[in-house]
Amino acid sequence: MATSGNGACGVSAAASGAGSEAVVRVEGLRKSFGSNMVLRGIDLTVMPGQVVTIIGASGSGKSTLLRCINLLETPDAGHVWFRGKDLAAEHVDINALREKIGMVFQSFNLFNNMNVLDNCTLAPVTLKKTSRQEAEKVALANLDSVGLADFAGADVNTLSGGQKQRVAIARALCMKPDLMLFDEPTSALDPEISGEVLEVMRRLASQGMTMVVVTHEMAFARSVSDEVVFMDEGVIAEKGSPEKMFTDPEKPRTREFLARYL
C-alpha cells in the first residue's frame, strides 16, 4: 500500500498526503469517438497520496479516462475537478493546471533531437520560467532518483526502452506535479526491462506521490495500489482495495478478467 512520506526531489508537498481535498474528482464523465461511446458515465475520486490503478481489457476506456483527466481528450459530458477547480470552466487556466499533472505515456514521447538533460529541462525553463541553472539542478536530482544521473548528456536514441521510460518519469517530475498519470508505462517494454520502471514507480508511491496508473501489471497493482478500479465497456464495473479485488471480487466479469492473470 502507498504510504505518505517525505518525497524525493520532484514530489511536491501537495502530493505528500496533506489535506483532505480530493486531488481529482471525476463526475458523470462521458466520451464518444463518432458513434463509439468509450466512456459511459465515470465517477472517480483520487485523494492526496493515493495510488489508484485502473485495469481492464483493451478497449474498456482506461486510456481515454486518463487522457480526459488532463484534457488531452475533451469530455462530451461530465466534470473533472483538479484541486477543486473544474477543468472545463471557462475562467480556468487549463495550461497552468496541467503543469501540475505529470503524464507518462506508453511510447515515452521524448524529444529525440535533444539529450536526456535537455528533455528534462525544456518544460521548466519554457513554461515555468525556471532559470537554466535551477532546472538543471532539479533535473539531475530527478535523473539520479531514477538511476540515470550518469546519462544526463546521452543522446536519447542510444537508450534502451526501460531507460527512456525512466527519463520520461524524471522529465515529468521536473515540473513538480501534484499528480502523476501513467498510461500503460511498461506495455512497450520487454518483461525483463519493465521491472526497472515499476521499481521507480514503487518508490514514488512510497514517497507519497498521488498516482493514477493504467496497467496490465497485476502484481504491481496488487502490491502498490490503495484502490483498484476495474473498467469494462466504458464503465467502472467494480472497484475496491487490492485485497478485495484480487481475492474476492464481487462481479463475474471481474473474476473472469482476473482469472487470465492470476
Side-chain angles (χ1 to χ4, degrees), residues 151-172:
F151 290 79
D155 182 338
V156 297
N157 299 292
T158 66
L159 303 181
S160 70
Q163 289 170 329
K164 288 179 180 179
Q165 197 60 293
R166 284 186 283 155
V167 171
I169 294 171
R171 179 179 63 176

Side-chain angles (χ1 to χ4, degrees), residues 54-167:
I54 303 175
I55 62 174
S58 296
S60 59
K62 308 183 302 295
S63 293
T64 300
L65 171 58
L66 212 63
R67 292 172 68 85
C68 284
I69 288 175
N70 65 357
L71 294 194
L72 287 177
E73 298 289 353
T74 304
D76 297 328
H79 295 274
V80 178
W81 283 273
F82 174 67
R83 288 291 181 195
K85 298 184 185 299
D86 188 344
L87 296 186
E90 291 185 6
H91 65 280
V92 167
D93 185 345
I94 179 60
N95 291 323
L97 285 176
R98 196 182 277 146
E99 288 178 11
K100 304 298 290 182
I101 304 175
M103 181 86 174
V104 177
F105 301 87
Q106 297 180 36
S107 53
F108 323 130
N109 287 21
L110 298 176
F111 297 106
N112 291 325
N113 61 332
M114 298 181 180
N115 67 22
V116 168
L117 185 61
D118 288 343
N119 263 274
C120 292
T121 58
L122 178 64
V125 169
T126 58
L127 298 178
K128 300 184 76 172
K129 308 304 179 186
T130 304
S131 71
R132 177 75 191 187
Q133 182 179 12
E134 177 62 20
E136 288 189 357
K137 178 182 176 182
V138 172
L140 288 170
N142 281 311
L143 286 169
D144 184 58
S145 76
V146 301
L148 291 175
D150 293 340
F151 290 79
D155 182 338
V156 297
N157 299 292
T158 66
L159 303 181
S160 70
Q163 289 170 329
K164 288 179 180 179
Q165 197 60 293
R166 284 186 283 155
V167 171

Side-chain angles (χ1 to χ4, degrees), residues 129-260:
K129 308 304 179 186
T130 304
S131 71
R132 177 75 191 187
Q133 182 179 12
E134 177 62 20
E136 288 189 357
K137 178 182 176 182
V138 172
L140 288 170
N142 281 311
L143 286 169
D144 184 58
S145 76
V146 301
L148 291 175
D150 293 340
F151 290 79
D155 182 338
V156 297
N157 299 292
T158 66
L159 303 181
S160 70
Q163 289 170 329
K164 288 179 180 179
Q165 197 60 293
R166 284 186 283 155
V167 171
I169 294 171
R171 179 179 63 176
L173 291 175
C174 286
M175 292 296 284
K176 302 180 180 179
D178 288 347
L179 170 69
M180 286 284 284
L181 306 177
F182 293 86
D183 187 8
E184 298 271 17
T186 61
S187 65
L189 305 177
D190 293 333
E192 62 267 26
I193 296 176
S194 64
E196 63 193 41
V197 175
L198 294 173
E199 182 55 34
V200 169
M201 295 170 64
R202 285 190 178 94
R203 286 202 300 272
L204 283 178
S206 71
Q207 293 161 0
M209 174 58 76
T210 309
M211 298 162 57
V212 181
V213 185
V214 171
T215 186
H216 62 278
E217 302 279 359
M218 296 301 143
F220 172 84
R222 188 168 189 168
S223 64
V224 176
S225 304
D226 294 297
E227 183 174 62
V228 177
V229 173
F230 173 60
M231 288 188 65
D232 185 42
E233 297 185 348
V235 301
I236 293 178
E238 187 170 357
K239 60 184 176 181
S241 69
E243 181 179 3
K244 180 74 168 67
M245 292 292 287
F246 286 102
T247 62
D248 188 28
E250 295 178 2
K251 302 294 179 65
R253 184 70 185 92
T254 313
R255 293 194 293 270
E256 177 187 336
F257 173 81
L258 289 173
R260 304 177 198 167

Side-chain angles (χ1 to χ4, degrees), residues 14-54:
S16 66
S20 58
E21 179 186 62
V23 176
V24 172
R25 185 159 56 91
V26 176
E27 210 171 84
L29 196 66
R30 295 180 178 273
K31 178 64 180 178
S32 296
F33 297 98
S35 61
N36 180 25
M37 184 176 288
V38 179
L39 300 178
R40 303 169 181 268
I42 300 293
D43 297 322
L44 182 68
T45 300
V46 183
M47 300 302 292
Q50 191 175 31
V51 178
V52 175
T53 53
I54 303 175

